[in-house]
Amino acid sequence: MKRRKRSSGGASLDSLLDTMTNVVGILVIMLTVTQLGVGEAVERIKEALPEITDEDMDRSRKQVEDLESLLKLEKEQLQTVKDLTQQKKNANLNEQKALIDKLKKELEKLKEIQINIVALKKQISERDQQVKSIEKTIVEKETELAEIKAKLAKTPDPGPTPDAKIVNLPNPRDAPKEAKPIEYVCRGGRVIHVDIPLLQNIALKAIAQSRLVTAQSQAVDCDKLVKLFQNRNVGNRDWRIRLKPAGGVPYLVLELRKGRGETSERLRKSSALFRNQIQKVNPQLFYLNFRVWSDSYDTYLVAREYTTQRGVLAGWVALDSNSEFRVPLGGNLKLTCQGYVAPPATPKAAAPDLPPPTQRKLPGNKID
């Protein structure tokens, strides 16, 4: 480049203009490069970001509106809490004022009351003496009651009379002399047949199998017999047998097994076992003997209804709900129970077996 000639008129500005031109060029180049880089960066950001649709925008607006509604509701609830808190404070203040007034009035009343301490102590002393006297009387009565209960426990329960022939209240009359009783029990809201001789034989068989008696002349201790029937499940599917000595006499206590027997509702059905049994009874040879506990009168009345329809005579004995179902032990065992006296040898009574249907005789116009 051809060098310019310096003017003779002053300082030359060519160098400054060259420098500024170079700087401007560099800036232009840098701006161009920067714009290109920014464009590529924007494209890369667009590619990385998910595409926002109109539905997304609407959903975002909806969320913003929901948030604004929640914020408004929260402000309203906060204001409500503030109002309630202020009301509670005012109410508590009023209650406290009312309580203070009440206490003041009661305090004024207490000031007016004059208590005679000496007279009060005297009254308390007299009441204490009365209480001690009453307590002493109660102890004496309880002791007397315990003695009476002990005497009653030692007294054997005679139970129903086995030879009773009374039938059909309220017009009692003797059963026919040749008629034999068939025993039924009404207890626990159920009615069931009981074969007493059969249960006596089961009990005697259990004693024989226990080897407590090894010789005919050997006496058996009652306590061992009681434990034998406690530890063994003696009886049949309807009855559990236990042994209990009372007044020196050993009795068999018969306990109805759970679920056995028929309820009043069951008796109403034609398939009831009781109704089938009395259909086989000859009214001229047999009558029914009911033992009725106080918790089973309703069951007894239903059973008696069907007995009357069948034309079979019946009698009944009422028993208290706390009474045990006791029958004699039977047999010829020698026992060492305290106060026991062996019964005289008597022939064993035959069980009242039901006659077969072919041997039944119908009484008059009764329905079989």
Side-chain angles (χ1 to χ4, degrees):
M1 186 176 188
K2 191 175 181 179
R3 303 182 78 178
R4 296 177 182 178
K5 292 182 180 182
R6 299 181 178 176
S7 66
S8 59
S12 176
L13 299 176
D14 293 337
S15 298
L16 179 60
L17 291 174
D18 292 339
T19 301
M20 291 179 66
T21 301
N22 292 334
V23 171
V24 171
I26 291 171
L27 291 175
V28 171
I29 293 171
M30 290 180 64
L31 179 61
T32 303
V33 172
T34 301
Q35 288 180 347
L36 291 175
V38 169
E40 293 178 358
V42 170
E43 293 296 330
R44 288 197 301 271
I45 291 172
K46 287 183 178 180
E47 293 176 358
L49 290 175
E51 184 178 357
I52 298 175
T53 63
D54 294 338
E55 294 179 357
D56 295 334
M57 291 296 294
D58 294 338
R59 189 163 46 252
S60 299
R61 292 192 189 97
K62 184 69 169 56
Q63 291 177 355
V64 172
E65 292 175 355
D66 292 341
L67 290 174
E68 290 178 350
S69 299
L70 290 175
L71 181 60
K72 181 179 180 181
L73 179 61
E74 185 177 356
K75 289 181 179 179
E76 293 176 354
Q77 292 178 349
L78 181 60
Q79 184 62 35
T80 302
V81 170
K82 289 181 179 180
D83 296 339
L84 291 175
T85 303
Q86 185 63 32
Q87 293 176 4
K88 187 175 181 181
K89 288 181 178 179
N90 296 334
N92 290 338
L93 182 60
N94 295 332
E95 290 178 358
Q96 291 176 359
K97 289 181 179 180
L99 181 60
I100 291 172
D101 295 337
K102 182 178 179 180
L103 292 175
K104 287 181 179 180
K105 293 179 180 178
E106 292 180 355
L107 183 59
E108 294 296 331
K109 291 181 180 180
L110 290 175
K111 290 180 179 180
E112 296 175 357
I113 297 175
Q114 296 180 357
I115 301 175
N116 191 340
I117 302 298
V118 177
L120 184 59
K121 288 183 178 179
K122 184 178 179 180
Q123 291 178 3
I124 294 173
S125 178
E126 292 176 354
R127 294 293 176 87
D128 289 339
Q129 295 296 329
Q130 293 177 0
V131 170
K132 291 179 181 179
S133 177
I134 294 173
E135 289 177 348
K136 183 179 179 181
T137 304
I138 291 174
V139 172
E140 293 176 354
K141 294 297 181 182
E142 288 179 348
T143 304
E144 183 179 354
L145 181 60
E147 293 176 354
I148 294 173
K149 288 182 178 180
K151 292 179 180 179
L152 290 175
K154 295 179 181 179
T155 304
D157 183 7
T161 305
D163 298 329
K165 299 291 185 178
I166 305 300
V167 294
N168 201 17
L169 293 178
N171 182 24
R173 59 194 183 278
D174 292 337
K177 294 182 179 180
E178 298 80 12
K180 296 179 181 180
I182 301 176
E183 302 289 341
Y184 277 86
V185 170
C186 296
R187 189 172 191 180
R190 295 173 179 267
V191 60
I192 189 170
H193 171 63
V194 55
D195 191 341
I196 295 176
L198 175 63
L199 295 175
Q200 289 174 329
N201 289 335
I202 292 175
L204 293 173
K205 184 177 180 181
I207 295 174
Q209 293 176 350
S210 67
R211 298 182 181 179
L212 293 176
V213 182
T214 57
Q216 188 174 2
S217 59
Q218 180 183 356
V220 183
D221 183 64
C222 280
D223 292 337
K224 293 182 180 179
L225 284 180
V226 172
K227 292 181 180 178
L228 170 66
F229 284 85
Q230 285 179 347
N231 297 330
R232 290 191 181 183
N233 187 9
V234 183
N236 56 16
R237 64 178 184 175
D238 295 328
W239 298 97
R240 167 72 185 272
I241 304 175
R242 299 185 188 274
L243 188 138
K244 182 176 181 181
V249 180
Y251 287 90
L252 295 180
V253 179
L254 306 183
E255 299 176 353
L256 185 62
R257 295 189 186 274
K258 184 177 181 180
R260 304 304 298 174
E262 296 178 302
T263 61
S264 302
E265 292 76 9
R266 176 62 183 167
L267 289 176
R268 298 292 184 185
K269 298 181 179 180
S270 59
S271 60
L273 179 61
F274 173 82
R275 295 174 64 175
N276 293 331
Q277 289 174 345
I278 63 175
Q279 287 293 329
K280 301 176 182 179
V281 175
N282 187 338
Q284 295 180 351
L285 301 178
F286 296 92
Y287 71 95
L288 304 188
N289 184 28
F290 289 93
R291 301 171 190 243
V292 184
W293 271 256
S294 59
D295 60 353
S296 302
Y297 286 129
D298 294 338
T299 307
Y300 162 71
L301 292 176
V302 177
R304 188 63 183 268
E305 176 185 348
Y306 290 106
T307 304
T308 304
Q309 292 178 4
R310 177 67 180 86
V312 180
L313 299 177
W316 68 290
V317 178
L319 297 173
D320 184 75
S321 60
N322 296 323
S323 298
E324 294 179 330
F325 184 13
R326 295 182 181 180
V327 297
L329 173 61
N332 296 317
L333 288 177
K334 293 183 178 180
L335 304 173
T336 59
C337 305
Q338 184 179 0
Y340 173 71
V341 178
T346 56
K348 183 178 178 182
D353 297 330
L354 299 176
T358 57
Q359 298 180 2
R360 292 179 300 182
K361 297 180 180 180
L362 299 180
N365 58 352
K366 299 297 181 182
I367 299 176
D368 186 2

